[in-house]
């Protein structure tokens, strides 16, 4: 059987009673082997009767396997034989497994694959030289205790450990370990309904005031710069009208407050997700945390922000808030920290703007299920953290069994 090997083909291949191969139409020697169990592997046949395994489907992509096959065939032309001895390419250490097996898989299957790999390097590099089988609970426990004594929170430690455990789980699934050596490592118990950080009325007022002052300062600096350039005959910078924003910081913050968008969703928001006539956003699953699309209506302030940028944007396509070279922002930590410092707001993250959005909805009497839908939570349990902000329904429930009311 011959076909063009790509991601679309993989969806059509079904297991049979016997093993069978699918050869690529364009690259001779590149093929997929389909096993009766449903497992599929990329293979490069570089000589008659001589093959090398490139990796499993699901671990690496078709494109990555094709690149490996081209490299093998190119080396053959140079007289370099691939190492096909049993076990020679099998990862022996945690670092080898991450680099050779886990990295290609996580980058192709997870939107935050780069962040996952960065976390593994930052937190667990001291264990990279250890064999996979020696990365055990007894090895991790002293590390966890040390981090705990350094002031790292239980939530952060749980998140880091879960990242490493996912690596070991894959190593077990793919046959590099007989048993997951971290399966018995228990995570810390944490408060499932932690205190939600949101802005008080005074804090939000100070935040908005600092943002306005920053805008005025930037506009004044632009005027001064243009005056200086005009006196010397240099080209002038574009003028900023009084009703326009100088940059993206203030509108992004205000949009977060009014929509509950996650920072990553905000950075990747495109004009194709904006419906101006219905005053709404429809986030695609490609940018949301749970891969599900989400509908968000726009209130007046959010709609005015979107409308202003739409009128100013001549192309009407691409990102709503592009950084340099029309790429999504990576972070705005420095500018955000400066704003919080001037507004005298402490212990507050950008993500807490999302909590602020939800908290204001609940305190305004909006039911929790509607809040869940607006936030894009797949489970109501995540939304229940805001329930304490609307105690009226609990008060009314208790009042219904008040004996003094029943006998009066």
């Amino acid at each position: 059987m011959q076909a063009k090997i790509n991601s679309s083909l993989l969806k059509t291949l079904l297991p049979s009673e016997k093993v069978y191969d699918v050869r690529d139409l364009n690259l001779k020697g590149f093929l997929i082997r389909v096993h009766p169990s449903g497992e599929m592997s990329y293979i490069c046949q570089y000589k008659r009767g001589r093959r090398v395994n490139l990796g499993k489907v699901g671990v690496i992509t078709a494109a990555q396997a094709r690149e490996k096959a081209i490299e093998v065939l190119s080396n053959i032309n140079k007289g370099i034989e691939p190492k096909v001895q049993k076990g020679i390419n099998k990862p022996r250490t945690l670092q080898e497994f991450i680099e050779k097996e886990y990295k290609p898989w996580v980058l192709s299957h997870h939107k935050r694959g780069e962040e996952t790999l960065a976390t593994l390097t930052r937190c667990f590099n001291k264990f990279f030289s250890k064999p996979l089988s020696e990365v055990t609970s007894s090895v991790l426990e002293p590390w966890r205790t040390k981090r705990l004594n350094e002031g790292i929170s239980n939530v952060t430690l749980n998140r880091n450990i879960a990242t490493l455990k996912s690596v070991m789980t894959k190593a077990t699934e793919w046959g590099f370990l007989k048993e997951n050596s971290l399966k018995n490592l228990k995570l810390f118990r944490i408060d499932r309904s932690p205190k939600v950080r949101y802005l008080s009325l005074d804090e939000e007022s100070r935040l908005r005031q600092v943002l306005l002052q920053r805008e005025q300062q930037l506009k004044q600096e632009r005027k001064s710069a243009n005056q200086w350039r005009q006196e010397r005959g240099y080209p002038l910078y574009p003028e900023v009208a009084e009703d326009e924003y100088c940059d993206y910081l203030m509108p992004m913050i205000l949009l977060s407050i009014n929509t509950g968008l996650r920072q990553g969703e905000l950075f990747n928001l495109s004009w194709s997700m904006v419906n101006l006539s219905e005053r709404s956003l429809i986030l695609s699953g490609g940018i949301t945390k749970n891969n599900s699309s989400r509908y968000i209506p726009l209130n007046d302030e959010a709609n005015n922000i979107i409308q202003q940028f739409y009128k100013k944007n001549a192309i009407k396509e691409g990102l709503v808030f592009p950084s340099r070279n029309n790429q999504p922002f990576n972070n705005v930590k420095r500018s955000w920290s400066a704003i919080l410092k001037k507004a005298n707001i402490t212990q507050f993250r950008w993500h807490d703007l999302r909590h602020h959005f939800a908290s204001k909805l609940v305190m305004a009497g909006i039911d929790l299920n509607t809040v869940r839908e607006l936030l894009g939570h797949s489970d109501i349990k995540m939304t229940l953290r805001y329930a304490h902000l609307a105690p009226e329904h609990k008060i009314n429930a208790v009042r219904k069994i008040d004996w003094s009311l029943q006998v009066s």
Side-chain angles (χ1 to χ4, degrees):
M1 178 179 174
Q2 284 190 313
K4 184 176 180 179
I5 295 177
N6 53 30
S7 57
S8 299
L9 174 68
L10 299 178
K11 299 175 183 178
T12 66
L13 296 179
L14 299 175
S16 181
E17 293 182 358
K18 295 182 179 180
V19 175
Y20 69 94
D21 295 337
V22 181
R23 297 180 176 274
D24 188 69
L25 282 171
N26 300 326
L27 183 60
K28 186 177 180 180
F30 180 42
L31 55 98
I32 289 181
R33 168 152 284 198
V34 183
H35 296 269
S37 63
E39 179 179 292
M40 295 183 282
S41 301
Y42 299 107
I43 306 290
C44 180
Q45 183 173 330
Y46 58 95
K47 285 183 180 179
R48 185 181 180 87
R50 303 292 296 276
R51 296 182 170 191
V52 62
N53 196 331
L54 303 173
K56 294 181 180 180
V57 172
V59 177
I60 63 174
T61 65
Q64 290 167 337
R66 186 182 296 275
E67 289 179 5
K68 284 189 174 184
I70 292 173
E71 182 180 359
V72 170
L73 296 172
S74 176
N75 286 337
I76 287 296
N77 289 333
K78 299 174 185 177
I80 303 173
E81 289 270 343
K83 297 177 180 179
V84 295
Q85 295 95 329
K86 185 175 180 181
I88 196 165
N89 291 320
K90 184 176 181 180
R92 291 177 172 81
T93 65
L94 175 61
Q95 184 174 25
E96 287 180 4
F97 175 76
I98 291 173
E99 286 296 321
K100 294 181 180 179
E101 306 293 339
Y102 189 74
K103 180 178 179 179
W105 178 84
V106 78
L107 289 178
S108 61
H109 285 73
H110 288 270
K111 288 180 287 190
R112 298 189 176 184
E114 292 285 0
E115 293 180 27
T116 298
L117 294 172
T119 298
L120 290 169
T121 301
R122 184 179 68 255
C123 298
F124 304 109
N125 59 79
K126 65 178 293 184
F127 305 118
F128 275 10
S129 60
K130 287 187 173 293
L132 276 172
S133 59
E134 293 183 15
V135 183
T136 62
S137 300
S138 60
V139 169
L140 264 293
E141 199 59 62
W143 171 88
R144 187 163 62 169
T145 301
K146 180 176 180 294
R147 298 273 288 173
L148 194 64
N149 292 334
E150 291 172 350
I152 306 301
S153 69
N154 289 2
V155 173
T156 299
L157 287 173
N158 280 355
R159 189 181 299 118
N160 293 339
I161 290 291
T163 301
L164 182 60
K165 289 184 77 171
S166 69
V167 173
M168 305 304 284
T169 297
K170 287 301 177 186
T172 307
E173 287 180 6
W174 298 337
F176 296 100
L177 282 175
K178 291 183 179 180
E179 185 179 33
N180 187 342
S181 52
L182 295 182
K183 69 176 184 179
N184 294 324
L185 180 62
K186 295 182 179 179
L187 301 180
F188 289 121
R189 290 186 177 182
I190 59 174
D191 185 357
R192 294 297 177 182
S193 299
K195 184 179 180 180
V196 177
R197 177 68 167 102
Y198 60 93
L199 296 171
S200 65
L201 288 175
D202 185 51
E203 285 177 325
E204 183 174 355
S205 178
R206 296 202 305 269
L207 175 64
R208 288 175 175 272
Q209 185 62 35
V210 168
L211 290 172
L212 286 172
Q213 291 171 354
R214 179 179 179 274
E215 285 289 317
Q216 293 168 0
Q217 180 181 347
L218 290 175
K219 288 175 183 177
Q220 184 58 47
E221 290 173 354
R222 176 66 59 89
K223 289 180 181 179
S224 298
N226 275 341
Q227 183 178 352
W228 184 91
R229 296 177 73 85
Q230 187 176 28
E231 292 171 355
R232 289 159 180 78
Y234 295 145
L236 302 182
Y237 295 127
E239 292 289 342
V240 180
E242 286 301 319
D243 61 344
E244 288 183 349
Y245 295 107
C246 290
D247 60 16
Y248 296 138
L249 186 62
M250 182 172 180
M252 285 198 298
I253 291 173
L254 295 181
L255 202 60
S256 294
I257 287 175
N258 287 286
T259 63
L261 287 177
R262 297 180 177 92
Q263 191 176 74
E265 296 169 344
L266 186 69
F267 290 170
N268 289 279
L269 181 68
S270 66
W271 287 111
S272 62
M273 303 175 196
V274 177
N275 190 321
L276 293 173
S277 60
E278 294 188 5
R279 295 175 43 134
S280 65
L281 305 177
I282 302 180
L283 304 186
S284 71
I287 71 169
T288 61
K289 186 177 180 180
N290 58 8
N291 298 314
S292 298
S293 59
R294 183 160 93 252
Y295 169 82
I296 304 174
L298 300 175
N299 60 18
D300 286 344
E301 184 173 45
N303 184 61
N304 289 339
I305 292 171
I306 294 295
Q307 288 283 359
Q308 181 187 129
F309 278 100
Y310 184 78
K311 292 175 183 177
K312 190 176 180 180
N313 191 333
I315 303 177
K316 317 295 187 191
E317 62 182 28
L319 297 171
V320 176
F321 304 113
S323 65
R324 294 179 181 177
N325 301 320
N326 290 319
Q327 295 299 310
F329 278 91
N330 183 34
N331 67 74
V332 289
K333 291 180 180 178
R334 184 177 298 178
S335 300
W336 174 241
S337 297
I339 290 293
L340 293 178
K341 185 176 181 180
K342 289 182 180 179
N344 193 26
I345 297 174
T346 59
Q347 301 295 314
F348 194 81
R349 309 162 300 164
W350 186 292
H351 190 75
D352 291 325
L353 293 173
R354 179 171 162 85
H355 295 323
H356 182 63
F357 167 74
S359 300
K360 289 205 301 183
L361 289 174
V362 173
M363 288 186 286
I366 307 302
D367 65 275
L368 289 177
N369 192 54
T370 299
V371 175
R372 179 190 67 80
E373 292 175 350
L374 289 170
L375 291 174
H377 288 160
S378 56
D379 194 327
I380 192 68
K381 291 178 181 178
M382 289 292 292
T383 321
L384 287 175
R385 69 175 69 181
Y386 308 106
H388 70 284
L389 299 173
E392 291 82 3
H393 69 285
K394 293 182 180 179
I395 294 173
N396 291 333
V398 174
R399 282 177 61 84
K400 289 183 178 180
I401 62 170
D402 192 324
W403 173 257
S404 61
L405 294 177
Q406 293 181 33
V407 298
S408 58

